[in-house]
Amino acid sequence: MAHSGDSVLILDFGSQYTQLIARRVREHGVYAEILPCNVPVGDIHKFNPSAIILSGGPQSVYAEDAPRCAPEVFTMGKPILGICYGLQMIAYDMGGEVDKSASREFGRAELIIEDKSCKLFSDIAERTSVWMSHGDKVTKLPPGFHVVARSHNSPICAIANDEKRIYGIQFHPEVVHTAGGSQLLANFLFDIAGVKGGWNSQNFIEATIADIKKKVGDKTVICALSGGVDSAVAAVLVHRAIGKQLKCIHVDNGLMRRGESAEVVHTFRDHFGIDLDFADAVELFLTRLAGVSDPEQKRKIIGKAFIDVLADEAKKFSDAKFLVQGTIYPDVIESLSFKGPSATIKSHHNVGGLPEIMHLELIEPLRELFKDEVRTVGRALGIPEHFIDRHPFPGPGLAIRVIGDITKRKLDLLRAADAIFIEELRASNLYHSTWQAFVVLLPVQTVGVMGDERTYENVCALRAVSSVDGMTADWSRFPHDFLASVSSRISNEVRGISRVVYDISSKPPATIEWE
């Protein structure tokens, strides 16, 4: 595991905020990892955390099928912080009582701190605004605990057992709406659990390089380099560890953005001196995709073609023993819940059955990092900023942004329109404040006028959203003059598109991508 020093284990009871807890802990320079709440106690001992945080969750602790953690968690002698469901779990499992609340509490609430000597609330105002999301409440304290804070709706809103260093809070300190939430987590980590901190991108890089060297020895390693942030950072990190033993393969599938393949080759071959094999597979992908409109079918065809090309290219490196993959932490925990971990990672995050086909062992140097942490590591490794700050790009590429069947002409139209949109965003200083922006080519043709002639040409949609993590997203409120400029440029410069529309759907109910 590529971290040094103290670490915090977060047991997940199914809360929508669990990832956020890990991010907040890491912001304090402390390594945090998430495991399902029902993880065997032996795995917890193996992880050997400095402290344990119990997440929130949607269930009621007294329900028959309620998610539980191993009872030994409370007798390990580790400092524990229970959040929302976590508080109720502590109360319920340690001899207190939890019941349905007469009125549920969602959103902002005022917290009144009654025990000002409690270390958990050091440097937090006596009356403070917090974020609630619960329908149950603790009605009877477990033995050895006392009430630290209350709210209008929850007389027992924070509890403490200072001797055992076990604390529970009904509100969510990890969300930005809780004033003093970051301070509370810092109090728990540093004053109560006594962790040292100091986990950062530099010591992550050093520890990971040491791990890779030890694992790989003198063997050859293959990396599929797409040009996305994750694969780029993974490749440079592994190259830093083993140099020429790394063999990168870039597959041009014809579904990339304008000039992308040439840029990947130039950056990684020339700038970083990485041994890069270039595979021109445009014809293969377009032939296999011809006439296919169903998005899921497109994904499967692209995944299979990618594996075929990569396996073929990899024959050049028959002595290879490892395959690098840019898996990141949200991919790993996406399907983790209290029901137990699932090994499935979204299909476009990995290279299908390639490790099995080629009998290769996986190296996933970024699997412990969130996206923003990957970017920080990339900057520390000297990867150019325009690679690092790129908007997310789907694994199937432009195939799922051409709605309907795919042809080279449609892809070229989309590439040209998309390049204009991104150029204009950068020129107007709107690119960095946007989570993701792109153009979608619609299977619709409408009447237009070019000069004195009537035309019958394509429609494209601009899509731009603001988001923190892609889980939810709101459409970007761009100035009308900016949208007018983009529309005008696309209509004038891209022969074949005569109408531009702007997508103002949020996620939910819509997704960010159209397919």
Side-chain angles (χ1 to χ4, degrees), residues 9 11 25 52 64 91 93 119 126 140 151 183 265 300 307 332 337 342 374 384 390 393 402 421 447 455 480:
L9 178 61
L11 293 181
V25 171
I52 296 171
E64 207 174 305
D93 265 35
K119 282 184 180 179
E126 189 180 327
K140 183 184 168 194
S151 73
Q183 180 65 50
V265 173
K300 285 178 179 152
I307 289 169
V332 176
S337 74
S342 159
V374 172
R390 273 186 156 160
F393 188 62
V402 171
F421 190 22
V447 174
T455 59
H480 290 179

Side-chain angles (χ1 to χ4, degrees), residues 384-445:
E385 191 62 32
H386 67 274
F387 256 93
I388 295 300
D389 70 5
R390 273 186 156 160
H391 290 173
F393 188 62
L398 300 181
I400 56 167
R401 293 179 181 171
V402 171
I403 311 299
D405 71 314
I406 292 167
T407 63
K408 184 175 184 304
R409 172 167 162 72
K410 288 180 182 178
L411 288 165
D412 288 342
L413 285 177
L414 178 56
R415 255 187 283 273
D418 193 71
I420 289 169
F421 190 22
I422 300 304
E423 275 169 26
E424 289 290 315
L425 281 166
R426 288 192 182 277
S428 303
N429 289 322
L430 292 168
Y431 186 85
H432 295 294
S433 57
T434 308
W435 165 263
Q436 195 171 1
F438 54 90
V439 176
V440 181
L441 190 70
L442 307 185
V444 174
Q445 291 185 309

